[in-house]
Amino acid sequence: MTACAIETAPEDGAVGSTGITIAVDGSYAARLAGEGEALYPERWTLDGPEPYAVPLPLDQPEERDTDVHPLSDGRVLIRRRVEDRHAFSLLYPTGPGTGELPLGGVEADELTMLPPSPDGRCAYALAPGEYSTAIWLVAGGAFGPEHVAEVQGHCTGGVWLDRTGRMLALNRQQSGAPVKAVAVDLERGGEVTPLLQITEDSNDRLLLADPDSGLLLIRSDAAGHDRLGWGVLSSLRPVRFPECLRLADCAVTPFAVQPGQVLMPESCAVGLRVDGAAGSWLGIWRPAGRRLHQLAAPEGWLAGSGMWSREGVLQLPYATGTVACALARIDASEVFAHEVVTEPAQAEHAGGEPSGGSGTPVVCKPVPLQQAPLTGRVGPG
């Protein structure tokens, strides 16, 4: 399953301190539950017959800016701000109470958790400084938090480009220049490779990626204003900006991509959060079609969060006054049943040439996406 939880600062893909964060494999999720100032961590178990929640309260309530982060073994990483230090611990249920294993801390003015690592064991964070941004391994290391890389410039966002937790995409700004997405190789000391440039002067951010298909969801102002577009990782095909993803007076933010569509980006279903004056609701779209399907969200949806199954079922976590933990399920095949497909899905190799079959995906070095034709294009979406 591919999942991402975005509620605060959704444009850059950062994990917020509200809502819920779902592990990449869909096994667990974690959030701050409670009301008012009486907040406590809560773990959701999602891989059983029915989801259920386990509260993990400690002696004192948590601050609203506390982060909680699920690991695949069922423990929950918690980050607390203590003056100029960010302290990390692992929480786990033990008998009637909550166990806590302190991991250490990181001294930084600002620190942001990255989305859950694909391996389920590790957790990473960004700590931007005056001229560079530090990447910290805050859980999963041998001796507590470890500094693993330093990337020049101010970096935000964070999108995993593979299934191993090696390649990380960040949105970087250097010396007042436009924001550009770059790929960071964590196994090579943070080696940086350009990933996305629509034009020299545009701000080009990566919001979401699916390693199986190579589908990338992008936000760029290359057309003179922010547009939501899509491209393909390690492809020479240009970025496309579908008109159907432009909604007047609404913000449209992708939060989950259907996995398992090996090298078939056009066939991937995408879940989007739509925010307007009337509130937040759900959008479902795929590159092969020209339509954004807008649906009412379930009552109590933890907006901006959800996960796709490989079979194309979107699962949305929600909680109400009477239901503490639940998933609403939407079958994409029913949503797309009467949709006109503008371009048949076809498998693609890293060089951008169509392939006759799918086969096993090849791990490719990310290459910059080429300049996109912003007007006059006829194609899917």
Side-chain angles (χ1 to χ4, degrees):
M1 297 179 178
T2 297
C4 183
I6 306 171
E7 185 149 335
T8 59
E11 180 173 312
D12 249 12
V15 176
S17 60
T18 59
I20 193 166
T21 302
I22 307 173
V24 172
D25 63 1
S27 55
Y28 294 99
R31 68 166 186 151
L32 284 183
E35 297 181 359
E37 300 301 319
L39 300 178
Y40 57 89
E42 183 178 75
R43 186 193 72 186
W44 289 26
T45 299
L46 303 177
D47 57 357
E50 293 294 335
Y52 64 93
V54 176
L56 296 172
L58 292 167
D59 295 336
Q60 295 182 340
E62 304 294 341
E63 298 292 332
R64 192 160 293 276
D65 63 352
T66 297
D67 287 314
V68 289
H69 197 89
L71 302 181
S72 59
D73 62 4
R75 295 182 295 178
V76 172
L77 176 72
I78 187 168
R79 179 206 62 84
R80 301 181 181 96
R81 181 68 180 258
V82 183
E83 296 180 348
D84 293 332
R85 187 169 179 267
H86 301 263
F88 295 90
S89 295
L90 290 174
L91 307 181
Y92 52 92
T94 172
T98 301
E100 181 174 12
L101 176 64
L103 297 178
V106 174
E107 291 188 6
D109 292 335
E110 180 184 348
L111 186 139
T112 304
M113 293 296 299
L114 288 169
S117 173
D119 65 13
R121 299 180 298 102
C122 298
Y124 294 84
L126 293 181
E130 186 175 0
Y131 302 108
S132 63
T133 300
I135 303 176
W136 285 84
L137 173 65
V138 296
F143 306 104
E146 299 176 11
H147 179 269
V148 295
E150 195 80 19
V151 179
Q152 293 301 308
H154 185 274
C155 297
T156 57
V159 176
W160 295 103
L161 299 176
D162 61 5
R163 294 291 183 195
T164 66
R166 171 178 176 175
M167 300 302 300
L168 173 69
L170 297 173
N171 298 320
R172 178 174 73 168
Q173 185 173 35
Q174 290 183 287
S175 303
V179 178
K180 301 293 181 184
V182 297
V184 181
D185 190 335
L186 297 183
E187 289 191 3
R188 301 189 64 174
E191 179 182 271
V192 174
T193 304
L195 178 63
L196 177 63
Q197 176 168 299
I198 310 300
T199 70
E200 289 187 4
D201 299 326
S202 57
N203 293 292
D204 307 316
R205 294 175 170 89
L206 181 62
L207 305 183
L208 213 57
D210 175 62
D212 296 335
S213 63
L215 179 65
L216 306 178
L217 278 302
I218 292 153
R219 193 181 302 280
S220 172
D221 61 3
H225 51 274
D226 272 344
R227 295 284 301 273
L228 186 60
W230 68 280
V232 181
L233 183 66
S234 300
S235 171
L236 300 182
R237 300 171 66 186
V239 176
R240 274 151 282 192
F241 296 91
E243 285 294 326
C244 66
L245 298 182
R246 296 183 66 189
L247 299 181
D249 301 321
C250 291
V252 181
T253 307
F255 63 84
V257 180
Q258 179 186 359
Q261 311 302 297
V262 178
L263 302 180
M264 304 286 279
E266 292 94 344
S267 64
C268 286
V270 179
L272 305 107
R273 169 179 171 171
V274 185
D275 294 294
S280 299
W281 60 95
L282 178 68
I284 295 180
W285 166 83
R286 59 177 174 173
R290 283 185 177 271
R291 181 181 174 189
L292 172 63
H293 301 266
Q294 299 183 59
L295 307 172
E299 180 187 357
W301 179 37
L302 301 173
S305 59
M307 57 184 176
W308 287 99
S309 71
R310 290 175 175 266
E311 295 74 30
V313 177
L314 179 59
Q315 301 169 78
L316 303 173
Y318 70 93
T320 67
T322 57
V323 179
C325 170
L327 291 174
R329 294 176 172 85
I330 299 175
D331 191 337
S333 64
E334 297 178 1
V335 176
F336 297 139
H338 303 293
E339 184 179 74
V340 176
V341 176
T342 59
E343 180 175 316
Q346 54 184 348
E348 177 178 320
H349 287 314
E353 294 299 323
S355 163
S358 54
T360 303
V362 179
V363 177
C364 304
K365 190 74 171 179
V367 298
L369 297 183
Q370 304 301 302
Q371 179 174 335
L374 298 175
T375 59
R377 179 177 177 84
V378 178

